Amino acid sequence: ENAAKQIFKKEGIPILEGHVANYPEEAMAISSEMGVPVVIKAQVLTGGRGKAGGVKFANNPGEALKVSEQILGMEIKGEKVNHLLIEEKADILNEFFVTVSVDRGARKPVILASKEGGVEIENLAKTNPEKIIKYYPNPLLEFLPYEAREIARKMGVDSELISPIGDIIWKLYQVFEKYDADTAEINTLVLTPDGIIAADAKLVV
């Protein structure tokens, strides 16, 4: 997640302030320096961290130390947690989802987007498939910003969010192409008082 977020940031996708910690004391120091409630996330190459207890909140440095001790060394789907991402806790007003991947059946890239973020997209696809917008950009042509805005509009977001969310979708597709990715995903993409921010990041290359 941290490596993916640094790439997203470089390509103009807003992220939250965050720092990597390898030890509980380091997490405490980072939390103290940030001076705000933080979220502490296990850095592993797998999904489902939240359910496995690999994502927790801390309101102060003491809590950050305690939580980090719990997460470091635990195993999530067979992967040992050796690194943590300490991030400012976002004031989330709304959650969305966007991913760009390869549809092997259609032999094309596909963009999936939904205004139901934060849920497991596989479950949403089974229970409420109509809530997921599916769009196939032509891989031989340039994917244009207006196409990305059209996806945002079809998601059913408020009119003032069509442009900023469309901008993120367009930039995510640029990341997908530039880094020759298999998957470039933001779940969740959050609306905060400061605007639209990628609260999570997944990049498979």
Side-chain angles (χ1 to χ4, degrees):
E1 178 195 358
N2 179 58
K5 277 188 169 163
Q6 292 314 308
I7 288 172
F8 283 11
K9 185 181 179 183
K10 192 171 133 194
E11 301 300 333
I13 296 172
I15 62 168
L16 296 157
E17 189 199 339
H19 305 278
V20 174
N22 303 309
Y23 308 102
E25 296 74 20
E26 213 177 341
M28 182 168 80
I30 290 166
S31 167
S32 176
E33 212 169 285
M34 290 173 78
V36 290
V38 294
V39 55
I40 297 171
K41 301 177 175 183
Q43 295 299 283
V44 284
L45 295 170
T46 182
R49 296 173 302 171
K51 279 185 179 172
V55 178
K56 293 181 185 288
F57 298 99
N59 291 316
N60 55 59
E63 269 183 35
L65 177 75
K66 200 169 150 192
V67 165
S68 301
E69 285 172 343
Q70 291 166 4
I71 300 176
L72 276 167
M74 74 186 289
E75 277 202 6
I76 298 174
K77 293 182 183 174
E79 264 199 76
K80 193 175 177 187
V81 180
N82 295 316
H83 314 285
L84 302 170
L85 178 60
I86 318 300
E87 226 172 39
E88 61 178 299
K89 185 181 173 187
D91 182 6
I92 297 171
L93 305 172
N94 221 326
E95 298 183 316
F96 312 100
F97 166 91
V98 60
T99 185
V100 188
S101 61
V102 178
D103 183 328
R104 304 210 180 280
R107 298 183 179 184
K108 284 182 190 174
V110 61
I111 297 170
L112 300 176
S114 176
K115 66 173 191 173
E116 303 258 336
V119 294
E120 285 189 11
I121 203 72
E122 294 82 6
N123 292 345
L124 188 64
K126 283 177 196 161
T127 55
N128 298 93
E130 74 286 350
K131 290 184 176 175
I132 301 173
I133 303 306
K134 191 183 271 194
Y135 184 83
Y136 290 95
N138 186 332
L140 304 178
L141 299 176
E142 186 186 350
F143 177 62
L144 297 168
Y146 85 86
E147 294 177 85
R149 287 194 297 274
E150 184 59 18
I151 293 168
R153 192 185 65 75
K154 284 182 175 167
M155 284 166 69
V157 300
D158 294 342
S159 55
E160 69 272 13
L161 296 178
I162 290 171
S163 197
I165 289 178
D167 185 53
I168 299 273
I169 293 170
W170 184 80
K171 283 173 177 166
L172 191 65
Y173 189 81
Q174 304 313 304
V175 168
F176 174 80
E177 283 207 315
K178 183 174 177 180
Y179 293 86
D180 198 19
D182 200 48
T183 303
E185 179 176 296
I186 305 172
N187 187 21
T188 46
L189 179 66
V190 299
L191 171 64
T192 74
D194 299 321
I196 298 282
I197 295 170
D200 200 352
K202 179 180 177 183
L203 189 61
V204 181
V205 295

